[in-house]
Amino acid sequence: MRRLSSLLSLCVLLLVTTGASAASEVSGPWTSSRREKSPDQVQLNLSYPGDEGEHDRGQMGLSEARAAFQGLPTADGPATFSLQREAGLFSFTGAIQDGAGAGHYRFAPSERYAKDMAALGYPKLSSLQHFQLAATNVTTQRVKDLASLGHKDLPLEKLMMVGIFNVSPEYVREMAKAGYDKLDIDELVQGRIHDVTPQRVKDMATAGYPNLPWEDVVAMAIHNVTPEYVREVRAMGYANTDADQIVALRIHGISLEYAKEMRGLGFKDLSAEDLTALRIHGVSTAFVKEMRGMGFKDLDADDFTALRIHGVSTAFVKEMRDLGFKEITHDALVSFRIHGVTPDFVKKLRNAGYPNITPEELVRLRIHGVDETFMRSMSQGGSKNPGK
């Protein structure tokens, strides 16, 4: 969850500033773009001034149903419209063409909202904080309802997150009914970010994963572990995979087709971890067939994984065989790659006077950092056995 924590911290840094001055108008440019998939929803991007003046500006999104705007035109042309929030009034001017728009906005804060928020424990909102609460539609009723559900005295930055990701009292209640009644506000935000719904929790329980720790629920949602995928994994023969295992299978794209391909190659008793390792390291059916075609017929899944981990390709095998190592084993090939025994190294040693050097001797020389210059001097000195 570190990456998610970093994301939340970044959002907080972008959104929250401090200040004790009375709230005043905030203004700046706005833009919008066509939303083909959600024509009834309007997404506006608002630019606002930061702490250091006009040259220090931030960006914030404001999303609302089209029906919530007053005077929003449906045709191209000049546009003058508004959006009333409890926290204040957004007024927009500009133009719209082909569903996209741009112009200028002003936000007039509500003094009543400021007083009500002060009574709830948030006194002296700065102009920017007031604007951000309005843009994310954090109402006083939501603050009260969340408090009644156990989320009292939330820091202002967490209220911003509640608004941005729409952590509603209804969502809190629904998740409590689904068995997650002890979630803190950060966990609830995680759930909204990754679309963890009560229905999803119910569906995964029916699929065989009831009463999961919250971290597993979120991980499954992040990586799109669905009931359909659970059924596919079971069809592979893995009926008892735990949450970590099935997430790993999903992350690495393990499909029923891939499992069948591996079994068709003779790997009958692969565990979920074995199958994942094969996939991670790129052991494909083509690679297995190519290596078997070169004579490596009795290798198991671990052997093929080791070959891929250490970069033993069919081209590398051919190069070594062309150098005279006709019966070289897969273990020797892996050892060559681990210790840097390359075709060029073999050629240089042979040019230094060692035409019959063995694979074991080559590896031993590389381990001890012996190069062709040293071996050439040894050859000239009369010794032909690098093992002595």
Side-chain angles (χ1 to χ4, degrees), residues 76-350:
D76 291 350
T80 300
F81 56 99
S82 63
L83 176 67
Q84 182 69 62
R85 299 282 209 201
E86 181 190 358
L89 178 67
F90 289 93
S91 300
F92 302 89
T93 58
I96 297 174
Q97 184 173 353
D98 296 330
H104 191 269
Y105 76 90
R106 287 188 178 278
F107 170 69
S110 163
E111 291 185 10
R112 176 60 183 270
Y113 178 81
K115 290 177 182 178
D116 289 346
M117 287 296 287
L120 292 172
Y122 303 95
K124 298 181 180 179
L125 294 175
S126 71
S127 297
L128 183 54
Q129 289 168 342
H130 198 135
F131 160 78
Q132 291 166 338
L133 289 168
T136 55
N137 201 22
V138 175
T139 65
T140 53
Q141 189 61 52
R142 184 182 300 204
V143 176
K144 293 174 185 177
D145 288 345
L146 288 174
S148 71
L149 292 168
H151 302 287
K152 300 178 181 179
D153 303 320
L154 293 175
L156 189 59
E157 63 269 20
K158 292 190 185 295
L159 274 186
M160 300 288 187
M161 305 305 291
V162 162
I164 291 170
F165 296 108
N166 193 25
V167 178
S168 66
E170 291 76 19
Y171 180 71
V172 178
R173 294 187 191 100
E174 288 171 357
M175 293 310 300
K177 290 179 182 178
Y180 298 93
D181 57 346
K182 304 297 183 184
L183 299 178
D184 62 30
I185 207 69
D186 289 335
E187 290 169 326
L188 288 162
V189 168
Q190 290 171 4
R192 293 298 283 171
I193 289 173
H194 299 295
D195 199 24
V196 178
T197 64
Q199 187 60 50
R200 177 180 176 79
V201 172
K202 181 180 178 181
D203 290 344
M204 293 309 297
T206 303
Y209 293 94
N211 306 316
L212 288 173
W214 181 248
E215 293 79 4
D216 291 335
V217 173
V218 173
M220 284 186 165
I222 289 173
H223 299 292
N224 195 29
V225 176
T226 62
E228 292 76 20
Y229 185 68
V230 172
R231 288 192 287 270
E232 188 173 347
V233 169
R234 287 178 178 163
M236 299 177 200
Y238 305 117
N240 299 313
T241 51
D242 62 24
D244 288 338
Q245 289 171 329
I246 200 164
V247 167
L249 290 169
R250 189 61 154 169
I251 288 172
H252 298 292
I254 307 298
S255 64
L256 179 58
E257 180 182 4
Y258 182 72
K260 287 181 177 178
E261 287 175 354
M262 289 296 110
R263 286 176 182 157
L265 291 170
F267 302 122
K268 302 295 185 183
D269 299 315
L270 293 175
S271 67
E273 290 80 3
D274 292 335
L275 196 62
T276 302
L278 288 170
R279 186 70 167 181
I280 288 172
H281 299 293
V283 179
S284 63
T285 54
F287 178 70
V288 173
K289 291 176 181 178
E290 288 171 359
M291 292 300 291
R292 285 178 175 173
M294 300 185 82
F296 299 96
K297 298 184 181 298
D298 299 321
L299 303 185
D300 60 22
D302 289 341
D303 294 330
F304 279 106
T305 299
L307 289 171
R308 293 297 289 172
I309 287 173
H310 298 292
V312 177
S313 63
T314 52
F316 184 71
V317 176
K318 186 176 185 302
E319 286 179 304
M320 287 303 169
R321 285 182 173 173
D322 288 345
L323 288 170
F325 301 114
K326 302 296 184 184
E327 304 300 325
I328 193 166
T329 65
H330 82 280
D331 285 332
L333 288 164
V334 169
S335 189
F336 274 14
R337 296 295 288 176
I338 290 172
H339 298 292
V341 177
T342 64
D344 184 61
F345 180 68
V346 175
K347 291 173 185 177
K348 287 180 178 178
L349 287 180
R350 287 179 175 175

Side-chain angles (χ1 to χ4, degrees), residues 33-54:
S33 57
R34 181 188 293 273
R35 303 193 73 184
E36 300 288 354
K37 294 183 179 180
S38 305
D40 295 330
Q41 196 78 9
V42 176
Q43 174 72 40
L44 298 172
N45 297 311
L46 311 180
S47 175
Y48 60 86
D51 289 336
E52 298 181 10
E54 189 63 26

